[in-house]
Amino acid sequence: FIEDVSAQSLYDIVRSHVDTMLVLCTRFLLERPWCVGELTIAALNGIDRVAFVFEEFEAPDGPWIGTFELRMSDWGPLAEHGISVEAVKDMLSGYSQWPRVCVPSRIADKNLSQMVDFLFDKTAMHTSASLTLQAPTFVSDEIVRDNINFDLELPYRCGLVGLDDVEAFSSLLVIKHLLPPFIGNMRLRVVDTTLLPSTAAVVLVCSNGIFASSW
């Protein structure tokens, strides 16, 4: 989602600058007109879509699609850009053929590597291939593995994470992978553990309720 642009500009971006759309299939995805519009524009223009399916997502089947126009509270943002009910239903009917990654409620570092490998598999991207990620037994397993063979005397950035906040934990994993050139080494720590003396900085994900915790 790109803020501060009109719906038309957003649809033009999809038409002209997107070759593969990664679709985060969360609970309310198909209740948001702009999201449905982008998906439909992608389908009308032959743009590949890859679904990241979260556990709370209700996949559209025949009966669901048949009553879709009743589920969408406001068709205005779609109709005013020429997106018809029929075009949306055609897009939804093709959902079962999208390559997909089934995402568990908890993920770990190894899951990110599996997702990247899947996305770069050209064969998978042009078939209805499916990857089901296996959730770690505990998120803390990832934190323990993350600190193995790590020189605790060296200055490092500390990413604080709670075991019950999947979004915050996932965000820290992405930050850890993408930002080393900018923030240096980062290791994850459970929020109720003592910071090491060598901690040089703390990376904090400001998720809901974070300042309600005593730590």
Side-chain angles (χ1 to χ4, degrees):
F1 183 78
I2 302 176
E3 296 186 24
D4 299 326
V5 298
S6 66
Q8 186 59 53
S9 297
L10 190 60
Y11 296 154
D12 288 341
I13 290 171
V14 173
R15 290 188 186 95
S16 304
H17 301 288
V18 175
D19 53 23
T20 301
M21 178 178 285
L22 306 184
V23 185
L24 301 183
C25 296
T26 53
R27 181 179 178 182
F28 298 111
L29 171 73
L30 299 179
E31 295 182 16
R32 297 186 171 100
W34 280 33
C35 294
V36 172
E38 290 177 78
L39 289 169
T40 305
I41 293 296
L44 292 173
N45 287 272
I47 295 168
D48 292 333
R49 282 137 289 153
V50 182
F52 282 73
V53 185
F54 292 82
E55 292 181 344
E56 71 272 16
F57 179 70
E58 182 181 359
D61 55 15
W64 195 100
I65 296 171
T67 60
F68 179 73
E69 63 268 33
L70 303 178
R71 300 170 182 270
M72 181 64 68
S73 60
D74 183 9
W75 275 94
L78 297 171
E80 67 186 26
H81 294 285
I83 299 175
S84 66
V85 174
E86 292 73 19
V88 172
K89 288 186 175 181
D90 285 345
M91 176 273 293
L92 294 172
S93 297
Y95 167 79
S96 61
Q97 301 303 311
W98 300 0
R100 72 196 59 202
V101 176
C102 298
V103 183
S105 58
R106 291 178 179 245
I107 66 171
D109 206 3
K110 63 181 180 181
N111 298 138
L112 292 180
S113 297
Q114 292 174 315
M115 286 189 280
V116 169
D117 291 342
F118 184 80
L119 290 173
F120 280 92
D121 185 336
K122 293 183 179 180
T123 301
M125 289 301 97
H126 292 88
T127 66
S128 54
S130 176
L131 168 65
T132 299
L133 301 177
Q134 299 299 315
T137 306
F138 298 102
V139 175
S140 55
D141 292 347
E142 169 62 21
I143 295 175
V144 171
R145 190 204 64 77
D146 189 55
N147 287 283
I148 293 177
N149 298 325
F150 178 61
D151 188 345
L152 301 181
E153 299 301 320
L154 294 176
Y156 76 107
R157 271 67 174 171
C158 177
L160 288 178
V161 60
L163 297 185
D164 58 349
D165 194 328
V166 176
E167 291 186 3
F169 183 78
S170 303
S171 298
L172 277 174
L173 283 178
V174 173
I175 291 171
K176 174 191 164 193
H177 276 267
L178 297 182
L179 298 183
F182 306 101
I183 65 173
N185 292 325
M186 185 174 78
R187 289 296 181 267
L188 306 183
R189 301 285 290 179
V190 183
V191 295
D192 58 357
T193 56
T194 303
L195 293 180
L196 298 173
S198 55
T199 303
V202 172
V203 179
L204 191 64
V205 176
C206 295
S207 53
N208 288 338
I210 189 169
F211 296 113
S213 301
S214 60
W215 60 266

